[in-house]
Every structure is written in structure tokens, then in C-alpha cells.
Amino acid sequence: MTPRGKRFTAYGTAFLLVVASLTAATAATAATAAAAAPAATGSQELCGPGSALSFNRSAFPAKPLINNQWLTLKPGMQYTTTGKVVSADGTTVRKVVSTVTGLTKVIDGVTTIAIWDRDYSDGELVESELAFFAQTTTGAVWLFGEYPEEYENGKLAGAPSTFISGIDKARAGIAMQAEPHRNTPAYVQAYAPSVDFLDCGDVKYKHLCVCVPAGCYDDVMVIDEFNPLDPPTAGHQRKYYSAGTGLIKVTAVGGEDQEFLDLVNIKKLSSAELASVNARALAIDRRGYTVSKDVYAKTPRAVVSTP
């Protein structure tokens, strides 16, 4: 749902350390056992003082529901943002189509919802990504991993930036706090040292009025995103969220590659359209076991959620 950093993609993270050769029954048993474990773990303060994560699998419900007012992820909803990326090489036209699928996937012992993002540059598909989210019982939305397939000249070039919580020291992080407030510590959105990935979030502004092609919104919140490991020339990304709608705008502050996006359309898919999306997302999930043998292949298969 939200374009991310220099890869210009959206969301996702984290899976169980289950090898691809396991049968479905064995994978389900492993996932149940991991979820039942007391698995509360902390982390260093990657985003500054007060940013240490406390991840506890028991804080997530068995059946995922994401209804955080700033980041609601309801299966069948589709959001389209358009804009541009400005760099030293010139300006490219960008479009991102984010669809909340009806798929779930167990990652790091937590059942997550899969988001399918398609990223177009100058009309050409450059990335197709599955990203994985879950919400705690108290309302915080966590990012558990991303499987971003990269395309060159219309052909799949691989997915080298894949990361999954619990694999290769990657950690799930907070995509959206339950109750975001200004003047609170920055927080870790996701951390994957094997692919040099660290995103930090900091609530910058609240109660703004912002207009984009999809409409005008009151009570908009701005989150400043940055990687403290990057040099100052990397700049920051700012994301604008409207209560009840979610991401409506992306801007850049500094940096060599600056991204600007606006929400242009919100669509509720029909049952037939959602079924088609689920089938295509399942195909991506299956392909991931071949494309990303060292990471994605160690996760249980995605499934279509039952009502």
C-alpha cells in the first residue's frame, strides 16, 4: 500500500523457518507450534532511543483482521496512486496499484494478510510484490515481509530484495502504530540486514487538510520515513494518511531520487475480480519458491482465506 524507499515498492514481511519440502500438514503443525510458543523477543534501538521492538506472537489473533483507522486492509479493496520519480537521470512517470488480496500466509508464527502491489515506470511493469501484514489485538499493524519480483523489459529478473521476518535475522516491524502521536520516539517499520533494509517511522504532523485527485481529506497525518544507516544525501520520504482511507500522498525531502505520488482511485472489487486477483497472487506465491529458494521457499504456502 505504501511505496517504500529507494526500491519504490509497498509492503510486506516475515515467515516461519519451514523448508519448502515440508508437506502442507507438517507446515501447518510447525506454524501452530511456533504460534503457541512464548516467543516474545526484543531488538536493539535501530531507529534511536525508545525504538526497541517487542515482538510477541501471542499479541496477534489467529484470524487476521486489519482495521486500524490509518491503515485498513480489507480484502477486495484496490488503491491506485500515480506521480513521478525525479532523479539525476530525469523524470519518470510512476503508477502503483495496491490490491488487498483474500490470501493469508503464516510468517514467523503469525497469520498475515497478503497485499499485491504492481509498480509501473513510464507504463512498464518494473516490480510485482507480495507484502504481508498483521494487526495486534490492540490495533498496531505490523509488516512481516516482502517478496518483490523485479522486471526488466517485460521479463522477470529475480527477487533479490526479498525479506521475511525470522529468516536471515530479518525482523517484523510496525507499519502503523495503534495510536500515532507526535513527539514520540521513532519506531522500526522493518529490518532486514541481509538486504541492507531498515525503515524507521516518525509522526511528523497531524490534523492537516490535503487534496489529491481522489478527493479532499481532513485530519491527515504525515509520517516521516528514513533509514538512519543511509548518508544524508539519501533524503527522507513523507507519507500522508487520512483516517478511514489510508495512504493518500507521498512526497520527498532531499535525496537523489525523489518520489511524488497521489491517490487517484479507490475501487471495491467484485467477487469475480477478487477471485481473479487471488488466483494471480497464488501464482506469484508459487513462483517465489523457485525464484527465492534461500528465503521465500522457507515459508508455508499462501492460502485463500475462508469467511
Side-chain angles (χ1 to χ4, degrees):
M1 276 278 308
T2 54
R4 179 170 300 285
K6 294 182 178 178
R7 283 199 296 108
F8 304 128
T9 62
Y11 287 135
T13 10
F15 303 86
L16 283 172
L17 291 172
V18 181
V19 295
S21 60
L22 288 176
T23 64
T26 303
T29 301
T32 302
T41 59
S43 67
Q44 65 264 44
E45 296 182 322
L46 296 165
C47 296
S51 66
L53 285 168
S54 180
F55 169 62
N56 193 328
R57 297 185 184 100
S58 65
F60 298 86
K63 187 175 180 63
L65 172 67
I66 302 179
N67 60 1
N68 181 300
Q69 68 169 330
W70 301 103
L71 186 59
T72 300
L73 300 178
K74 184 177 180 180
M77 296 304 297
Q78 186 175 84
Y79 305 85
T80 301
T81 55
T82 63
K84 61 185 179 181
V85 175
V86 181
S87 68
D89 296 327
T91 299
T92 58
V93 176
R94 185 162 181 246
K95 180 173 79 169
V96 179
V97 181
S98 296
T99 307
V100 186
T101 75
L103 305 187
T104 62
K105 191 177 182 78
V106 175
I107 298 178
D108 213 353
V110 174
T111 303
T112 68
I113 292 175
I115 312 301
W116 178 28
D117 293 303
R118 285 166 289 172
D119 189 343
Y120 300 86
S121 179
D122 287 339
E124 180 178 314
L125 179 68
V126 293
E127 188 168 277
S128 176
E129 172 186 274
L130 293 181
F132 304 94
F133 299 85
Q135 180 177 295
T136 66
T137 54
T138 56
V141 181
W142 285 59
L143 170 63
F144 277 82
E146 298 178 350
Y147 170 64
E149 294 185 337
E150 299 177 7
Y151 286 79
E152 295 179 1
N153 300 319
K155 295 183 179 180
L156 177 61
S161 298
T162 299
F163 71 92
I164 298 297
S165 181
I167 298 177
D168 291 341
K169 299 182 180 180
R171 299 173 185 167
I174 300 171
M176 182 61 68
Q177 297 172 308
E179 297 182 3
H181 294 290
R182 293 183 61 231
N183 302 317
T184 55
Y187 53 93
V188 179
Q189 296 181 315
Y191 177 54
S194 64
V195 294
D196 297 323
F197 183 91
L198 171 61
D199 262 4
C200 302
D202 185 16
V203 180
K204 191 73 175 177
Y205 304 110
K206 294 190 75 173
H207 310 299
L208 299 183
C209 295
V210 176
C211 290
V212 294
C216 292
Y217 299 87
D218 297 324
D219 197 24
V220 172
M221 173 180 65
V222 180
I223 294 180
D224 185 70
E225 293 191 357
F226 62 96
N227 183 344
L229 304 180
D230 281 343
T233 54
H236 288 208
Q237 190 174 59
R238 292 204 175 151
K239 295 178 181 175
Y240 294 65
Y241 294 87
S242 173
T245 300
L247 181 72
I248 63 167
K249 190 177 186 69
V250 177
T251 62
V253 178
E256 297 176 353
D257 298 311
Q258 298 188 340
E259 178 183 36
F260 303 90
L261 295 172
D262 288 330
L263 179 67
V264 298
N265 188 55
I266 302 172
K267 178 181 179 180
K268 180 175 174 56
L269 302 181
S270 66
S271 297
E273 288 172 327
L274 179 57
S276 176
V277 162
N278 289 343
R280 296 173 70 183
L282 280 173
I284 297 171
D285 179 73
R286 289 193 298 269
R287 188 163 58 240
Y289 290 79
T290 300
V291 175
S292 178
K293 294 180 179 179
D294 294 334
V295 181
Y296 202 76
K298 295 178 180 179
T299 69
R301 301 275 182 170
V303 298
V304 178
S305 178
T306 55

